[in-house]
Amino acid sequence: MSNHAGKTLTSSGFYVSQEAPIHSDNPIAIPTAPAPDILRCAYMELVVTDLAASREFYVDILGLHVTEEDDQAIYLRSTEEFIHHNLVLRLGPVAAVAAFSYRVRSAEDLDRAVAFYTELGCRVERREGGFTKGIGDSVRVTDPLGFPYEFFYGTEHVERLSWRYDLQIPGELVRLDHFNQITPDVPRAVGFMQSLGFRVTEDIQDGEGVVYAAWMRRKPTVHDTAMTGGDGPRMHHVCFATHEKHNILAICDKLGALRRSDAIERGPGRHGVSNAFYLYLRDPDGHRVEVYTQDYYTGDPDNPVVTWDVHDNQRRDWWGNPVVPSWYTDGSLVLDLDGNPQPVIARSDSSEMAVTIGADGFSYTRAGDEKDALPAWKQGEGAAVSGSGSAPEAPPAPQEFKLGNQL
Ligand SMILES: [Fe+2]
């Protein structure tokens, strides 16, 4: 069990506290310039290597709406969106993320973004005409964590399609919900994002104080982005919300009917963290897309911060279903402002996969369960199965597991 001094154990098995102090031994200096007032995550620019294949995935299968397209890029939006786009698919040589883009409250916040990142010594580029169609004056930076971040206020308004039921499918994606970033040093990343005005809503820690992941928000939901511990900077996923759980099941049914079930990496299921219902897909380039619904309101200033023990087997999946190794190990490269992939730095803290799956890891269902109490068949793909009487053949070695393979 973890040492969670100062936190209150809830009847649900996790801890709550006020703005959990996550300490970094290697903090990024906090600029004296005020941070821009960020409203929400607004869009991601993804570089894809086959525009037709990506169009089939995001438009024909997932049903995102095309605002505009040409032979180099497709601009897509979700049903409730009134700004030009939530996702840009841009043709390029290497699958990667070109921008995590946030909308700010006013045009003046772009000046604040320039001053904030300039003081940090980051590369900053501002374009009055925007970097993508439909978006006005924009600031792009390579942030101190190595991620390409964008800020904009002005945008072309387009029709909100909520009332156009004739255009909607059973698995309709209604909003962009969040990004998820992979970074080697989560406390350092969290401290920096707090200086940018983000609040922590949930995190995963162990008893030694290692932070494995943290969820942070500007809009009043569980997150606009999360920092996931791993080799980075890389992008873990981009996430769209549906209205209901059944919409997610409809996406699974459609993928099955199309013989595209190999696009399903993990789920559907219920998260412990965020309490949302989820599904993880992989697009034709391997970019991970989450579909998610029904997290909770977090907008009060004293919103309780939730801390999960890394060994709680219900933190990633409330039903205790194993997390596939690819979900922990795979991520998309991110680009610098010249379009070159950023070098990836290895995580030196413990890996969540190593401490929870397989021979060196353990997870519990009930607090106080003995180590290794979790049945072998619950311990995840790649875990050794022994003594259950139900495994007549030796299980494949962990390295033999690939995306889509199940025990
Ligand atoms: Fe997510």
Side-chain angles (χ1 to χ4, degrees), residues 193-215:
M193 295 301 284
Q194 286 173 318
S195 76
L196 190 55
F198 284 74
R199 299 286 303 272
V200 176
T201 57
E202 302 205 20
D203 58 39
I204 295 175
Q205 302 188 24
D206 69 15
E208 286 70 55
V210 177
V211 183
Y212 295 87
W215 285 256

Side-chain angles (χ1 to χ4, degrees), residues 382-406:
V385 176
S386 61
S388 67
S390 59
E393 299 165 17
Q399 64 270 22
E400 292 177 26
F401 287 98
K402 293 176 185 165
L403 176 63
N405 289 4
Q406 300 281 337

Side-chain angles (χ1 to χ4, degrees), residues 185-238:
D185 186 337
V186 174
R188 178 176 164 85
V190 167
F192 170 66
M193 295 301 284
Q194 286 173 318
S195 76
L196 190 55
F198 284 74
R199 299 286 303 272
V200 176
T201 57
E202 302 205 20
D203 58 39
I204 295 175
Q205 302 188 24
D206 69 15
E208 286 70 55
V210 177
V211 183
Y212 295 87
W215 285 256
M216 281 162 292
R217 62 106 184 160
R218 287 292 304 174
K219 64 179 162 57
T221 64
V222 169
H223 55 323
D224 286 281
T225 193
M227 291 292 171
T228 297
D231 302 346
R234 290 184 297 160
M235 187 272 285
H236 193 273
H237 61 267
V238 57

Side-chain angles (χ1 to χ4, degrees), residues 222-368:
V222 169
H223 55 323
D224 286 281
T225 193
M227 291 292 171
T228 297
D231 302 346
R234 290 184 297 160
M235 187 272 285
H236 193 273
H237 61 267
V238 57
C239 176
F240 289 89
T242 62
H243 279 311
E244 301 281 351
K245 297 185 283 290
H246 66 78
N247 305 117
I248 290 178
L249 301 179
I251 293 169
C252 297
D253 284 339
K254 184 172 184 176
L255 287 165
L258 293 171
R259 287 278 157 188
R260 294 287 293 266
S261 62
D262 54 355
I264 299 175
E265 183 185 31
R266 183 184 155 205
R270 166 83 67 190
H271 281 310
V273 172
S274 81
N275 197 31
F277 201 82
Y278 73 87
L279 173 69
Y280 292 98
L281 306 175
R282 299 289 288 271
D283 85 357
D285 281 294
H287 295 308
R288 184 180 291 106
V289 179
E290 183 181 20
V291 187
Y292 172 105
T293 190
Q294 297 169 356
D295 61 351
Y296 58 93
Y297 168 77
T298 61
D300 283 20
D302 53 351
N303 178 66
V305 176
V306 172
T307 294
W308 296 83
D309 180 7
V310 72
H311 296 295
D312 181 343
N313 197 46
Q314 297 190 182
R315 75 202 182 287
R316 290 287 187 187
D317 184 284
W318 189 241
W319 308 332
N321 281 328
V323 177
V324 293
S326 63
W327 190 90
Y328 283 122
T329 58
D330 296 1
S332 300
L333 294 171
V334 301
L335 302 180
D336 65 19
L337 298 187
D338 295 319
N340 300 312
Q342 287 279 51
V344 173
I345 298 159
R347 176 175 169 88
S348 55
D349 285 344
S350 307
S351 109
E352 184 172 340
M353 183 169 74
V355 301
T356 58
I357 296 183
D360 296 328
F362 75 95
S363 297
Y364 59 79
T365 305
R366 288 156 295 271

